């Protein structure tokens, strides 16, 4: 089992940047594919970005391609989400998640508590 703790959220103006971090503890971090999800008020949770166990493969939601970058550091048990050119519609609670299986959205079975990102227009 892995425990996940997010940090780095906050309030930012549209066009600005934020970097989210997720610290993992517990089992071997490189056993897990990792992802960032988000949930905006009144909306369903959606996957934003995913990264494979050793970082060789990444995937992004169309809405963030070219603006967000997911990365990981297995030596530090960390995963990051660099968010640039932020838009009002990026406002949401962002969650870090881990999957023992694949990278599809339904395969994530460990979750952090989330960090709020608010983008002012």
């Amino acid at each position: 089992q892995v425990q996940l703790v997010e940090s780095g959220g906050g309030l930012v103006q549209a066009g600005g940047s934020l970097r989210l971090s997720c610290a993992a503890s517990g089992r071997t971090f490189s056993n897990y594919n990792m992802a960032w999800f988000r949930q905006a008020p009144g909306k369903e949770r959606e996957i934003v970005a995913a990264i494979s166990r050793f970082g060789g493969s990444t995937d992004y939601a169309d809405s963030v391609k070219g603006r967000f970058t997911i990365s990981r550091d297995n030596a530090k048990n960390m995963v990051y989400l660099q968010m640039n050119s932020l838009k009002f519609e990026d406002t949401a609670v962002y969650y870090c998640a881990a999957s023992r299986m694949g990278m599809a959205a339904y395969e994530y079975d460990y979750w952090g508590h989330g960090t709020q990102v608010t983008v002012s227009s």
Side-chain angles (χ1 to χ4, degrees):
Q1 176 162 326
V2 62
Q3 293 79 43
L4 304 171
V5 178
E6 303 94 337
S7 61
L11 174 64
V12 63
Q13 287 189 330
S17 298
L18 278 176
R19 188 195 196 203
L20 304 183
S21 299
C22 173
S25 61
R27 303 297 293 270
T28 305
F29 183 58
S30 58
N31 284 348
Y32 299 89
N33 294 308
M34 300 297 297
W36 288 95
F37 288 72
R38 68 185 180 187
Q39 187 167 21
K43 295 188 176 181
E44 292 188 355
R45 186 163 56 189
E46 62 174 347
I47 190 167
V48 174
I51 189 166
S52 59
R53 291 174 176 83
F54 294 96
S57 178
T58 58
D59 197 17
Y60 297 91
D62 287 343
S63 58
V64 306
K65 280 181 181 176
R67 300 189 298 122
F68 290 10
T69 302
I70 189 170
S71 62
R72 67 189 295 163
D73 185 337
N74 285 355
K76 296 181 178 179
N77 287 5
M78 297 290 294
V79 63
Y80 307 99
L81 186 68
Q82 178 66 43
M83 305 185 295
N84 299 328
S85 302
L86 282 161
K87 304 176 181 180
F88 176 75
E89 51 265 38
D90 294 319
T91 296
V93 177
Y94 284 71
Y95 298 90
C96 177
S99 167
R100 295 168 295 174
M101 303 300 288
M103 294 172 62
Y106 66 90
E107 296 185 279
Y108 292 85
D109 41 14
Y110 299 102
W111 297 86
H113 292 293
T115 185
Q116 176 71 47
V117 171
T118 302
V119 183
S120 61
S121 58

